[in-house]
Amino acid sequence: MKSRPSDYNIRMDMRLAAAVAAGKAVTWLSRRLGAGAGSNFPGKVILRLHADAPQAMASRLPGGCVLVSGTNGKTTTSNLLSGMLRAGGRLPVHNRVGANLITGITAALAQASDLRGAPRGDIGLFEVDEATLPAAVERLRPRLVIVTNLFRDQLDRYGELESLARRMDAALAGLNPGADVLLNADDPLVSSLGRDTRATVHYYGIEGARDTEKALRHAADSKHCRECGSPLAFDAHYFAHMGRYSCPGCGRSRPAPEFAASRVELRGTAGSRVTVVTPGWSADLFLGLPGLYNVHNLLAALGGAQLLGLGEEAVRGGVEGYSTAFGRGERIPIDGRTLFLVLSKNPTGFNEVIRTLRGEGEGLVVLAALNDRIADGRDVSWIWDVDFEELAPLPRRLVAAGTRAWDMALRMKYAGLDTSRLEVRGDLREALRAALAAAEEGETVYALTTYTATLELRRLLTRLGAAPGLWEEG
Amino acid sequence: MKLGLPELRICHLYPELMNIYGDRGNVIALVWRCRRRGWEARVTRLSLGEPIDPSRHDLFFIGGGQDREQMMVCEDLAGEKGEALRAAVEDGAALLSICGGYQLLGKRFLTCTGENLPGVSLFDAETVGGDTRFIGNVAVDCRLEGAESTLVGFENHSGRTRLGPGCRPLGRVIRGYGNNGEDGGEGCVYRHAIGTYLHGSLLPKNPRLADWLILRALRRRYQLEALPPLDDALEDAAHRAALDMVLREGKRPRLSPRRRLPSPR
Ligand SMILES: [Zn+2]
């Protein structure tokens, strides 16, 4: 039996349909004009026409919404989780390419919807900028929120970590009692979240890693207990401020993870072999993504999949069928050489990449592109927190590129790189040409690029015919 | 006066608490510029509860920090430790303080939440927390004797600092907000001590200021007319690129208390 929709509902539906149609038209147009991927403009148009459009569309997803937030690893985690959901027979609606503000989520929903605003998919999977989490929770009423880690990335946008954490706590306090929260146990700030939530809190973390660091690096952020302010004591450091810690002041310690990696074997840029342990099962997985930080991304996705009711088979399928998140550790053949493209957008990310590069030997050709656009953070001071001293012995040629190419070059000089090995090419196209020319046939060029530089380089490669377009990947 | 090759003894204060925007790059630049001249540079890191011996260091450095860290450092600097820092500067030691560190070396810092943090009173300056942040690239016309040049950097602060007659500004703002967004002054100088809001890091792209500090610091113990020059082609190019960029950005809107910047919080 069908109830008769009221005039009001019909009017609302028509408004939503009009907004969705306008959003689709704008998206189509901006792609035709070659405007950037993940552009926020279509979302802005939709919200202007219908302020409640995201919740109206999201409420039609039978499986609800999942939000993935945190400073690093949002895209990799949600791409891994998306693969697991697909392997488990679900159809996620997913905001790709880092469009992680409300506008980007709105555009993604509209893109996946029919003209009445009903999404063709059964679960929403959205990566959400840390500062957008409160608004996203309020609008989308998620059934699961995953928080990967918190770094003082882009403080010029967010203010301080502590106030960011407070706002995230307030967001989690707004969750429904039946919802789940999945937190990184190895990040002391993240694991302190969720104190006021009525949702169920779960943790993931690394239990066995041989490749730990002896001391906290200076780029570490969260070294003090959030409860009492005492310096935390660590018996193992994984990277940055991630590790096994406890507070000598108030006794707070790292929560025991429900989803854990009991053994990790890093294999350079090729990836890692990881033994995972969950409440239901354990398995050996090969993850084709380098570094310990990607083991965290794997655990976050795996925990999320379990909490959404998926089993071992779907998780395995998702990990094995995973093609790297756009730009994050991608190998692209060009001119008889291989371009290894890695997003490196903050000290922690950069330090991890440098650690991985050290396994590749010396005499490398490196392209380092530093942009200072709004999405990168206008302030590039953070490059002085990166351990470029460990990178300096590796390149036989380093091409500094991007809007802040000179800052990058100067940082490398002060890190100890001989200036005869250094070349400055602000323009990315020229920089790419110089780096390829410096490499031998069959050699790899390592491109370390900040967020917008990654987008730019990827577009350039598409134009040169070296990489498939962003729109063809799924 | 000592004979032999100079050795610069740097005291890096609160390195793990006060290093919010890559301020350690300043220490890297100081050390590097000494070693390139064949001289030794030694860095001593001092943190909470560790006393300062004014005679054991030639140059002090303190960077910027977040509110909580700044509070801890403020408490630690009260009393003898701040006294020792003042004594060193009175005796001719050089000092560079950035952002939060600069604020703590003034007479007091009144935060926007109403807390009154007493400062070290090395600088005749007072800071009041504002409800908007001054964020962006900065260019400064530096009037420091022996280091007349432009300075380039990045500012990100909500504090408004006003100088008293006991110190003078480091320079005049060409672009950006500077000390308080109103009087056009940026930073402050007292003897060989400098306070400034400029991150960047500051010294790598402003090598003349770096050498000004090194020369003043060393002159306390060594007979030095000037520093041997270094090849600063890359430094100068980076300086020019940053200067061109900030000049292209144009003038920023003047902030009155009613007109707000889009604030990050
Ligand atoms: Zn504690």
Side-chain angles (χ1 to χ4, degrees), chain B residues 13-14 17-18 47-49 52 62-83 85-86 100-111 115-121 127:
Chain B
L13 289 164
Y14 312 104
L17 294 171
M18 304 292 276
S47 195
L48 301 177
I52 293 174
I62 177 168
Q66 308 189 45
D67 286 351
R68 174 191 280 182
E69 279 81 0
Q70 216 177 341
M71 221 94 94
M72 291 158 78
V73 169
C74 173
E75 240 169 75
D76 192 61
L77 275 175
E80 262 172 50
K81 203 159 168 179
E83 192 91 33
L85 200 55
R86 278 205 309 274
Y102 167 33
Q103 294 170 341
L104 290 180
L105 298 188
K107 282 157 108 180
R108 65 173 189 150
F109 178 23
L110 200 63
T111 69
E115 258 152 318
N116 186 5
L117 303 184
V120 170
S121 292
T127 302

Side-chain angles (χ1 to χ4, degrees), chain A residues 152 155-163 166-167 218-221 223-229 231 372 378-387 389 403-404 406-407 409-411 413-417 419 422 424, chain B residues 16-17 19-26 28-30 32-33 36 45 48 65-69 72 133 135 137 153-154 156 199-201 203-205 207 231-235 237-238 241-242 245 249 263-265:
Chain A
R152 55 178 172 179
L155 280 184
D156 51 330
R157 277 171 60 197
Y158 301 146
E160 300 190 0
L161 271 182
E162 174 57 31
S163 65
R166 274 200 301 271
R167 275 183 294 162
H218 51 260
D221 295 288
K223 298 150 300 196
H224 292 89
C225 174
R226 200 174 160 216
E227 304 293 336
C228 72
D372 69 345
R378 298 302 320 272
D379 186 3
V380 297
S381 304
W382 60 268
I383 59 172
W384 294 91
D385 283 328
V386 179
D387 294 313
E389 287 74 11
T403 56
R404 287 292 193 160
W406 289 101
D407 284 82
L410 195 56
R411 176 70 187 98
K413 178 180 176 182
Y414 279 80
L417 183 71
T419 44
L422 195 56
V424 183
Chain B
E16 79 302 351
L17 294 171
N19 181 35
I20 193 170
Y21 301 109
D23 292 325
R24 72 191 272 271
N26 294 305
I28 293 175
L30 290 167
W32 195 92
R33 296 184 73 78
R36 266 302 146 112
R45 298 151 63 94
L48 301 177
Q66 308 189 45
D67 286 351
R68 174 191 280 182
E69 279 81 0
M72 291 158 78
R133 287 186 90 81
I135 303 175
N137 289 307
F154 194 95
N156 183 350
H199 299 282
S201 292
L203 296 183
K205 276 201 298 282
D231 173 9
D232 281 337
L234 188 59
E235 285 81 348
M245 174 177 270
E249 284 173 2
S263 161
R265 47 171 171 164

Side-chain angles (χ1 to χ4, degrees), chain A residues 43-82:
Chain A
K44 277 188 187 153
V45 170
I46 297 167
L47 287 165
R48 177 62 66 85
L49 293 170
H50 190 325
D52 295 333
Q55 44 272 54
M57 289 184 283
S59 66
R60 300 183 182 186
L61 288 163
C65 284
V66 177
L67 303 183
V68 182
S69 195
T71 311
N72 290 315
K74 290 187 286 282
T75 302
T76 306
T77 298
S78 44
N79 281 349
L80 275 166
L81 181 51
S82 172

Side-chain angles (χ1 to χ4, degrees), chain A residues 148-457:
Chain A
T148 57
N149 48 54
L150 286 174
F151 290 97
R152 55 178 172 179
D153 183 28
Q154 303 191 353
L155 280 184
D156 51 330
R157 277 171 60 197
Y158 301 146
E160 300 190 0
L161 271 182
E162 174 57 31
S163 65
L164 181 61
R166 274 200 301 271
R167 275 183 294 162
M168 293 182 85
D169 263 335
L172 298 179
L175 288 171
N176 298 333
D180 289 301
V181 177
L182 178 60
L183 302 174
N184 186 346
D186 298 335
D187 182 327
L189 188 54
V190 168
S191 73
S192 78
L193 295 176
R195 18 167 101 151
D196 306 321
T197 191
R198 290 170 299 165
T200 313
V201 181
H202 310 262
Y203 301 93
Y204 67 89
I206 296 172
E207 296 282 50
R210 263 182 280 163
D211 216 9
T212 57
E213 291 174 10
K214 278 166 231 75
L216 265 189
R217 297 196 172 213
H218 51 260
D221 295 288
S222 184
K223 298 150 300 196
H224 292 89
C225 174
R226 200 174 160 216
E227 304 293 336
C228 72
S230 314
L232 293 169
F234 280 80
D235 27 277
H237 291 122
Y238 302 146
F239 57 91
H241 60 276
M242 305 288 147
R244 277 200 306 274
Y245 51 86
S246 59
C247 174
C250 66
R252 192 180 95 83
S253 62
R254 170 179 172 270
E258 204 170 313
F259 309 99
S262 63
R263 202 181 62 89
V264 179
E265 189 190 324
L266 297 174
R267 294 192 182 166
T269 52
S272 318
R273 184 155 285 288
V274 189
T275 309
V276 296
V277 180
T278 80
W281 51 273
S282 74
D284 263 342
L285 298 172
F286 187 80
L287 176 68
L289 290 167
L292 267 183
Y293 57 109
N294 276 315
V295 175
H296 269 153
N297 296 334
L298 168 68
L299 292 172
L302 171 152
Q306 292 257 96
L307 292 169
L308 294 169
L310 296 172
E312 179 181 352
E313 214 165 303
V315 167
R316 207 179 258 288
V319 176
E320 279 162 10
Y322 182 73
S323 62
T324 43
F326 128 77
R328 287 151 170 91
E330 206 171 4
R331 290 171 189 278
I332 299 158
I334 177 168
D335 271 3
R337 286 128 179 100
T338 302
L339 189 71
F340 186 59
L341 182 59
V342 208
L343 175 77
S344 314
K345 57 173 186 168
N346 51 29
T348 307
F350 245 118
N351 283 342
E352 277 301 298
V353 169
I354 290 170
R355 222 164 121 185
T356 309
L357 276 191
R358 283 162 63 90
E360 303 285 293
E362 296 190 359
L364 309 179
V365 177
V366 177
L367 191 166
L370 175 65
N371 275 359
D372 69 345
R373 303 187 202 285
I374 288 167
D376 303 295
R378 298 302 320 272
D379 186 3
V380 297
S381 304
W382 60 268
I383 59 172
W384 294 91
D385 283 328
V386 179
D387 294 313
F388 282 114
E389 287 74 11
E390 292 186 19
L391 178 67
L394 306 184
R396 70 168 191 275
R397 165 76 40 184
L398 185 139
V399 183
T403 56
R404 287 292 193 160
W406 289 101
D407 284 82
M408 178 55 90
L410 195 56
R411 176 70 187 98
M412 288 313 304
K413 178 180 176 182
Y414 279 80
L417 183 71
D418 195 300
T419 44
S420 66
R421 300 183 173 199
L422 195 56
E423 194 172 337
V424 183
R425 302 261 174 226
D427 182 73
L428 262 181
R429 192 190 187 98
E430 279 178 38
L432 179 63
R433 195 177 296 143
L436 290 172
E440 308 278 330
E441 185 97 34
E443 207 185 338
T444 298
V445 172
Y446 299 89
L448 320 179
T449 49
T450 58
Y451 183 67
T452 66
T454 308
L455 290 177
E456 229 176 281
L457 189 57

Side-chain angles (χ1 to χ4, degrees), chain B residues 107-187:
Chain B
K107 282 157 108 180
R108 65 173 189 150
F109 178 23
L110 200 63
T111 69
C112 51
T113 50
E115 258 152 318
N116 186 5
L117 303 184
V120 170
S121 292
L122 174 66
F123 299 126
D124 181 12
E126 278 198 6
T127 302
V128 177
D131 56 356
T132 56
R133 287 186 90 81
F134 293 153
I135 303 175
N137 289 307
V138 190
V140 174
D141 177 14
C142 176
R143 310 268 173 92
L144 192 60
E145 204 190 318
E148 294 88 349
S149 61
T150 49
L151 297 177
V152 290
F154 194 95
E155 63 183 331
N156 183 350
H157 57 105
S158 58
R160 274 71 166 157
T161 301
R162 288 181 194 282
L163 307 187
C167 60
R168 62 207 145 83
L170 177 63
R172 309 284 307 164
V173 165
I174 304 169
R175 290 283 192 279
Y177 297 104
N179 279 341
N180 49 54
E182 282 168 21
D183 65 19
E186 158 51 36

